[in-house]
Amino acid sequence: MFSKACEYGIRAAIYIGQQSADGGRRVGLRDIATEIDSPEAFTAKVLQQLVRAGLVTSVKGPAGGFALTPEQQRTVTLRQVVLAIDGGQMLQGCALGLTQCSARQPCPLHYQFLPIRDQLNEVLRTHTVGELAGKVHDGLGFLRQFS
Amino acid sequence: MFSKACEYGIRAAIYIGQQSADGGRRVGLRDIATEIDSPEAFTAKVLQQLVRAGLVTSVKGPAGGFALTPEQQRTVTLRQVVLAIDGGQMLQGCALGLTQCSARQPCPLHYQFLPIRDQLNEVLRTHTVGELAGKVHDGLGFLRQFS
DNA sequence: CAGATACCGGACAAAATCATCCGGTAATAA
DNA sequence: TTATTACCGGATGATTTTGTCCGGTATCTG
């Protein structure tokens, strides 16, 4: 569905959001990688993309780390995260890989996949990182395996 | 969404189905690759997978090529093609990459993605290759770009 | 039977993705 | 100011995916 980079990016953003909500606490890379069970250095690359896209805030130095501002908590959607990392291929491209698939020249699956893609876009558009962070905070969702 | 291999596989299967419908005509690899606009040698690999899975029939020698038997036309679903090439990761795996994402330990997006995945499975399960081949035959769907 | 055709199968190569390492830089604190 | 902390950025490597090449084999035709 999404690339590994995107999976890590979403999980990381949600975890950062959850920690930021608890009194604006910043969270370090090592902590993030441990808590979402992802490779540390690779996760760093992905987070840099999110920082450059303005979806996550970072501070260097001691007591530094990553955080979400209150505004980011409210406004950053999953769709923005996915677009920043994976681009729009999954959200817009043709399921059979045709470069110009539309009502004018539809692939044989065009109309079958339209509602699926619409629903996917709707889910990503209407859910903010902050909202999902709240769900994790309340124990209603998890970002890694627990034995 | 799907891998390149899977995109080629679906397009190829549909094209073979379309040609087989016209009096059981067999179609050669070169013809397939041209008509669905795919790399010839790579498409051959994908077709071998479909043949081994019993979803497509092949005949060697002069006047040989690929075809779909009437039974294959009726019974082979898109789901079978996707499973033969990409496996079940896209159809079953967690959107955030958790190896054990279920109602017992759901990821924060688990319940949002359930209906999307269900609908995807439903589309793939209820459409046969033969049915889509008919759509292409009637000019209601295309397998490549036309300028 | 002999030759041509066309799929089969394995080895090989290129590109994208996934992942690591390490020096640089900004920020904090003593 | 100096040392430490922790993100930044480029180089590098491993793995998967994508794509090519070529000899082998089955099949048809003359």
Side-chain angles (χ1 to χ4, degrees), chain A:
Chain A
M1 188 110 206
F2 303 120
S3 67
K4 282 287 175 195
C6 198
E7 290 176 2
Y8 299 150
I10 296 174
R11 303 221 301 268
I14 294 176
Y15 177 70
I16 293 168
Q18 185 208 329
Q19 295 297 310
S20 290
D22 294 352
R25 179 163 68 241
R26 287 200 268 269
V27 54
L29 174 61
R30 181 160 320 172
D31 191 3
I32 295 170
T34 300
E35 291 302 320
I36 71 171
D37 191 26
S38 69
E40 191 175 319
F42 189 58
T43 305
K45 296 293 184 197
V46 177
L47 283 172
Q48 285 171 39
Q49 288 185 262
L50 296 183
V51 169
R52 275 195 290 267
L55 307 179
V56 167
T57 302
S58 72
V59 178
K60 292 185 180 180
F66 299 89
L68 258 60
T69 66
E71 177 171 356
Q72 285 171 333
Q73 293 266 22
R74 262 186 301 109
T75 62
V76 174
T77 64
L78 275 184
R79 181 182 163 81
Q80 289 177 280
V81 175
V82 171
L83 284 176
I85 301 174
D86 275 356
Q89 195 54 41
M90 160 77 54
L91 272 41
Q92 304 168 13
C94 168
L96 297 191
L98 303 191
T99 53
Q100 293 216 6
C101 176
S102 64
R104 209 175 72 79
Q105 268 198 26
C107 79
L109 286 171
H110 185 71
Y111 293 103
Q112 282 74 34
F113 272 85
L114 264 188
I116 295 177
R117 201 175 301 273
D118 285 349
Q119 197 172 350
L120 176 61
N121 272 286
E122 187 68 8
V123 165
L124 296 179
R125 194 179 61 77
T126 57
H127 287 82
T128 65
V129 174
E131 173 196 348
L132 297 169
K135 190 174 294 191
V136 172
H137 182 268
D138 296 341
L140 300 176
F142 301 86
L143 297 173
R144 51 160 295 185
Q145 251 64 246
F146 291 101
S147 53

